[in-house]
Amino acid sequence: MNRFQVSQVAVLGAGVMGAQIAAHLVNLKVPVLLFDLPEGHAPTAAQGASAASVRPSVGAGSKSGIAQRAIEGLKKLKPAPLGVPEDAALIRAANYEEHLHLLKDCELVIEAIAERMDWKLELYRKISPALAAHTLVASNTSGLSITALSQALPEALRGRFCGIHFFNPPRYMELVELIATDSTDPQAMDALETFVTTTLGKSVVRAKDTPNFIANRVGTAGMLATMVEAEKFGLSYDVVDDLTGKKLGRASSGTFRTADVVGLDTLAHVIRTLQEHCTGDRDPFAALYQTPPVLARLIEAKSLGQKTGAGFYKKAGREVLRLDPASMEYVTGGAKANEVVARMLKKPAAERLRLLRQAQGAEPRFLWALLRDQFHYAAVHLQEIAETARDVDLAMRWGFGMTQGPFELWQAAGWRQVARWVQEDIDAGQALCKAPLPEWVFKGPVDEAGGVHTPEGSWSPALGRFVPRRQLPVHARQLFAQDVMTTPARAAAQAGVTLHEDDAVRLWTLDEQVLIASIKTKMHAISPDVAEGLLRGVTLAEERYQGLVIWSPDDVFSAGADLQAMLPAFMVAGVSAIEGAEHELQKLMLRLRYASVPVVAAMRGLALGGGCELALYSARRVAALESYIGLVEVGVGLVPGAGGLTYIARRAAENAQLSTGKDLLPFLTEGFTAAAMAKVGTSALESRKLGYLQDSDIIVAHKDELLAVALGEVRAMAASGWRPPMRRPFAAAGRHAQATILGQLVNMRDGGFISAHDFHIGKLIAGVVCGGDVDPGTLVSEEYLMALERKAFCELVAHPKSQERIMAMMSTGKPLRN
């Protein structure tokens, strides 16, 4: 097939998943039509006015109120499905009665109505005549048979039909499962995977067309096994969640909290799919799929989890209560696992599993049983549900937040030994079913290789060999892609040619054209050694390379200045030491800005405080969609001191030059507010709105493509004859703007909205961004404003109230308001 270009997508079904899939599409600039049933009558005048005020309707007198209300509801959901709430207006509401003809202009149709086979089949029959010959159709189902669904489509369309399973919430969950039928065109699957990967930023696993596919099949069985084993060992839900969360290398919500977040009715639906399709004659674990009595009682009571305010947990004010299954009453929660067990879980995999299996307490025995059940289930079902063991492990990583999939952990702990332990428990009747481990576990290539993952590929029971990972052209953009038995960070640390490396910074290159600087400190905090390393990188890039990319292979760009490194110098030499350190950081920022080669900041995850300033002074920014960017120094009683306030003042002056007005204050207000309130953009889209990203900056959907895009950007900038900006003075807002801001701060202080110390910090910020006590329009330099920044920063470092905030953050990790 020709190149798959998506100019518009239709999402069928404006329920929870459909509306949020539509939101994620518009986050990434994909035009989308959101369909649902017609209301059955023309909207009232009030409804029509409301809809018109939000966005132009698909058609005058449209009956698309159901879809329109779902679009409006997106603005209120938490976590936010939209990068910025205003983008809800970009989703076009439609209905099946009036707008089916619009489907001909959609290259992709995603059906996301309720999980009813009969409803889906009826809808397919309705839409089929309206589809273009090139349209791909995908069903977002969590477990229904894709082959059965395809039977309602004309034979000519079946080659362009597949399953697409987004995980909830679609914006944040990394995994998307794609499921083909025997009729699906392989080229159509490749095209859809490419779109889902690079445009939507998702990580794709191809699943077989079996009940609940891969992640929900293994994950739901794991949740049910957890419930069974927890009851067997008499453990409360809060202790189980503490054991099965981060301590076990899984999502922090554990098991029962995860169930509450997913929705107990949704969980029950997934369980019913297993009950209906995985009966005893087909699945030896069929007895496991019985709905737990406590789950049935909660659903009967309409306690469906987080969305109804009660499930396995219930919030009472600030206290989180847990359910007591014996009485079905809520009692005080918050119990934690035994510290001895917590220490066991920090051991290397082989020792960890040995200790858990040999221990006598309920908690370690529970954990061993849980892991044994997971290994047993994954091995027995691998051939049925997935092409290779890699697909299972990656699906569990991306869909259930595990740091290691079941086969990865098994192999890391010693394949043969763990296999013997699991089989011994099966033979002793301690496992969840009597089915033995498959023969391939003990004999042949897997036994010889010591596991299912090898450099040649991962084990496929159906093919009887190790199969390499599928490679599409889009995967070449992921220079350090996530894979089994490794992480991007570990792979990147060993890649390329190193030009310089110490404990603070690594300078290296992949192509001998662009230099890469990777910060190595904890949370990539900017210490004096980091600043020295980055300065070395700029000099080296100017001498030998086309440019410099600042990038680190994990979800932190930089959490800001290293306060712990700063305080000892302050204790010994006082404010003068701090002033000198800040001056050096400011020099670094100007060095980046005026370097003779382009410097690109590739931001993935956190870019806070000094990390934000590092990005602001780069020539360009390439940011992953889920980047959190902001000047947050107020949270520790300080002001941005490495050029952040100077940047706000300069950008205000530059933006004002594009306007006919001469008053700088309107252009300054947003930047001042962001710094004074420590606003953080909770997506790259929101960060652009706050001024931390510019329109010329690039937002990348898939975080593993970030480095490739940044390197390409440097090469393009160099090839186009890029030159640094000229040093030139710019207009300051002056004393009148400063007075206006102070008046607003006085009102906030006197009204009790901010403390006296907050007022003092705000006053200092206003003084810097307005240029001090100067006339409006006075031309100032960056160096002049940076001197004001240093003075304000040093004054606050010496202030007792700020010192209290700094110590509170360092000791508790939480901001103190004093």
Side-chain angles (χ1 to χ4, degrees):
M1 62 187 297
N2 294 328
R3 180 169 176 263
F4 184 52
Q5 300 186 60
V6 179
S7 59
Q8 184 169 243
V9 174
V11 176
L12 312 182
V16 173
M17 284 300 291
Q20 292 197 58
I21 291 170
H24 190 60
L25 286 162
V26 297
N27 283 339
L28 296 160
K29 299 183 180 179
V30 179
V32 59
L33 292 165
L34 181 60
F35 278 80
D36 211 298
L37 296 168
E39 292 210 278
H41 57 81
T44 65
Q47 289 172 322
S50 173
S53 67
V54 173
R55 48 147 279 103
S57 178
V58 167
S62 171
K63 301 178 181 179
S64 304
I66 295 174
Q68 188 61 57
R69 286 192 291 275
I71 293 168
E72 287 299 294
L74 290 169
K75 301 176 185 178
K76 304 170 186 175
L77 291 180
K78 297 293 181 184
L82 292 160
V84 289
E86 306 91 272
D87 281 356
L90 302 177
I91 305 172
R92 302 175 64 197
N95 67 79
Y96 304 122
E97 182 179 303
E98 300 175 298
H99 303 125
L100 284 183
H101 64 281
L102 298 177
L103 293 177
K104 72 180 186 301
D105 298 320
C106 298
E107 290 81 10
L108 174 62
V109 172
I110 300 174
E111 171 269 306
I113 68 170
E115 292 283 271
R116 284 274 300 268
M117 178 72 74
D118 54 341
W119 291 358
K120 289 178 185 284
L121 295 177
E122 181 183 353
L123 179 60
Y124 294 171
R125 297 186 188 100
K126 188 179 185 70
I127 67 169
S128 293
L131 298 174
H134 61 277
T135 301
L136 298 188
V137 180
S139 174
N140 181 66
T141 174
S142 60
L144 295 179
S145 168
I146 304 303
T147 300
L149 289 171
S150 72
Q151 299 308 304
L153 296 169
E155 191 169 340
L157 185 55
R158 292 177 190 173
R160 304 193 310 279
F161 177 75
C162 67
I164 183 170
H165 180 208
F166 287 86
F167 278 65
N168 190 22
R171 171 184 161 186
Y172 300 96
M173 294 300 292
E174 190 170 0
L175 177 64
V176 166
E177 292 175 315
L178 295 183
I179 309 96
T181 71
D182 291 340
S183 301
T184 306
D185 181 353
Q187 288 185 302
M189 288 291 285
D190 289 349
L192 185 56
E193 178 169 345
T194 298
F195 172 75
V196 169
T197 299
T198 199
T199 302
L200 302 189
K202 300 302 174 186
S203 295
V204 171
V205 166
R206 305 256 186 120
K208 291 186 178 181
D209 188 13
T210 55
N212 291 341
F213 313 129
I214 297 175
N216 270 352
R217 180 70 173 271
V218 177
T220 303
M223 293 180 79
L224 289 170
T226 304
M227 294 178 185
V228 169
E229 302 291 2
E231 183 177 1
K232 181 189 302 182
F233 288 100
L235 299 178
S236 62
Y237 300 144
D238 45 5
V239 169
V240 169
D241 280 349
D242 190 46
L243 286 169
T244 60
K246 286 188 175 181
K247 288 184 173 68
L248 200 61
R250 299 183 178 182
S252 58
S253 52
T255 301
F256 293 98
R257 278 192 182 84
T258 296
D260 275 356
V261 171
V262 168
L264 302 190
D265 52 342
T266 302
L267 176 61
H269 167 78
V270 176
I271 294 171
R272 279 197 300 275
T273 301
L274 293 173
Q275 293 169 351
E276 293 168 4
H277 300 285
C278 300
T279 51
D281 57 331
R282 298 180 58 187
D283 189 331
F285 284 82
L288 176 64
Y289 307 143
Q290 300 305 308
T291 303
V294 64
L295 178 62
R297 291 198 294 271
L298 284 169
I299 292 173
E300 185 180 357
K302 301 194 183 309
S303 298
L304 306 181
Q306 187 171 281
K307 59 188 172 186
T308 61
F312 289 108
Y313 295 93
K314 179 180 180 180
K315 197 167 184 181
R318 294 190 175 185
E319 186 180 7
V320 176
L321 307 177
R322 67 165 175 84
L323 183 72
D324 174 14
S327 65
M328 292 302 290
E329 299 290 335
Y330 290 93
V331 299
T332 300
K336 299 294 182 182
N338 188 301
E339 186 54 37
V340 173
V341 179
R343 288 198 295 271
M344 289 182 187
L345 293 175
K346 294 179 181 179
K347 301 289 185 181
E351 186 179 359
R352 184 191 326 154
L353 265 62
R354 178 182 60 80
L355 289 171
L356 293 175
R357 189 170 192 267
Q358 293 176 351
Q360 296 303 309
E363 292 179 19
R365 288 166 57 216
F366 160 76
L367 285 173
W368 162 250
L370 196 62
L371 294 172
R372 175 203 64 212
D373 297 341
Q374 175 183 262
F375 300 149
H376 188 193
Y377 191 90
V380 167
H381 290 90
L382 173 57
Q383 182 168 341
E384 175 194 357
I385 65 176
E387 181 181 338
T388 72
R390 175 190 292 105
D391 296 326
V392 173
D393 281 342
L394 291 181
M396 298 312 294
R397 276 205 208 177
W398 297 334
F400 278 78
M402 293 184 176
T403 54
Q404 287 181 301
F407 291 113
E408 288 181 285
L409 176 58
W410 182 348
Q411 184 165 333
W415 183 267
R416 296 180 184 89
Q417 179 62 72
V418 173
R420 285 195 291 270
W421 285 341
V422 173
Q423 189 61 53
E424 286 173 10
D425 280 11
I426 295 170
D427 295 340
Q430 296 173 357
L432 293 175
C433 83
K434 298 179 180 179
L437 290 174
E439 186 175 334
W440 57 259
V441 171
F442 297 102
K443 297 180 180 180
V446 171
D447 179 65
E448 293 166 9
V452 292
H453 301 305
T454 70
E456 292 74 35
S458 295
W459 181 249
S460 170
L463 298 177
R465 59 184 174 87
F466 296 105
V467 176
R469 190 172 184 181
R470 178 184 294 104
Q471 289 296 318
L472 298 177
V474 68
H475 296 150
R477 292 164 57 90
Q478 299 179 14
L479 299 180
F480 299 103
Q482 301 170 71
D483 203 352
V484 290
M485 306 298 288
T486 187
T487 65
R490 188 158 63 241
Q494 301 165 355
V497 176
T498 300
L499 285 306
H500 168 80
E501 185 169 15
D502 55 31
D503 291 339
V505 171
R506 181 188 181 213
L507 303 177
W508 56 292
T509 181
L510 282 171
D511 57 7
E512 293 296 331
Q513 297 179 27
V514 181
L515 187 66
I516 304 168
S518 296
I519 304 174
K520 296 172 57 181
T521 52
K522 184 179 180 181
M523 297 294 285
H524 304 159
I526 303 172
S527 65
D529 289 342
V530 168
E532 182 180 341
L534 293 175
L535 283 169
R536 183 194 294 260
V538 174
T539 300
L540 186 58
E542 290 177 326
E543 291 173 354
R544 296 169 49 183
Y545 296 93
Q546 295 179 9
L548 174 68
V549 169
I550 304 173
W551 172 83
S552 295
D554 53 33
D555 291 334
V556 178
F557 176 72
S558 172
D562 189 344
L563 292 176
Q564 288 184 323
M566 179 190 302
L567 288 181
F570 174 70
M571 298 300 292
V572 172
V575 170
S576 61
I578 300 299
E579 200 275 343
E582 283 301 296
H583 200 184
E584 292 303 315
L585 279 179
Q586 291 175 343
K587 288 178 182 178
L588 167 64
M589 302 305 170
L590 293 177
R591 186 80 173 86
L592 296 174
R593 174 167 164 76
Y594 294 108
S596 61
V597 293
V599 178
V600 171
M603 292 181 286
R604 171 175 166 172
L606 297 178
L608 304 177
C612 177
E613 290 168 315
L614 200 62
L616 294 176
Y617 278 84
S618 298
R620 189 154 298 168
R621 288 139 294 278
V622 177
L625 178 66
E626 297 304 331
S627 294
Y628 297 82
I629 308 171
L631 297 170
V632 296
E633 287 84 352
V634 168
V636 289
L638 301 174
V639 298
L645 300 183
T646 299
Y647 171 84
I648 290 170
R650 177 173 58 78
R651 285 296 296 163
E654 291 169 349
N655 290 333
Q657 285 185 323
L658 304 176
S659 170
T660 56
K662 295 184 178 180
D663 185 5
L664 276 171
L665 183 59
F667 300 94
L668 197 61
T669 301
E670 188 172 88
F672 166 81
T673 303
M677 297 182 65
K679 285 188 176 182
V680 174
T682 55
S683 69
L685 299 173
E686 188 178 6
S687 295
R688 176 174 280 164
K689 184 180 174 184
L690 291 173
Y692 300 134
L693 295 178
Q694 300 177 28
D695 289 341
S696 58
D697 294 331
I698 298 170
I699 296 175
V700 178
H702 201 299
K703 61 186 181 182
D704 289 342
E705 296 183 4
L706 191 68
L707 179 58
V709 174
L711 293 172
E713 192 66 14
V714 166
R715 296 188 199 104
M717 293 168 75
S720 65
W722 182 89
R723 298 284 300 173
M726 299 287 287
R727 292 177 182 263
R728 64 180 68 196
F730 50 88
R735 63 176 68 89
H736 298 328
Q738 185 177 350
T740 301
I741 295 173
L742 287 180
Q744 295 171 346
L745 289 173
V746 167
N747 290 336
M748 295 179 70
R749 181 196 61 194
D750 294 348
F753 297 102
I754 60 175
S755 69
H757 193 51
D758 290 327
F759 172 81
H760 180 59
I761 296 171
K763 179 180 177 181
L764 291 175
I765 293 174
V768 176
V769 298
C770 294
D773 187 20
V774 297
D775 292 332
T778 298
L779 295 181
V780 298
S781 67
E782 288 170 296
E783 288 82 359
Y784 165 78
L785 286 179
M786 284 182 170
L788 296 181
E789 270 191 46
R790 291 198 305 275
K791 181 180 178 182
F793 187 90
C794 292
E795 178 183 329
L796 288 169
V797 168
H799 198 293
K801 292 286 188 181
S802 288
Q803 291 174 4
E804 289 175 8
R805 293 190 182 188
I806 293 170
M807 296 308 297
M809 178 62 73
M810 291 175 61
S811 60
T812 68
K814 297 179 181 179
L816 170 69
R817 289 298 178 195
N818 56 356

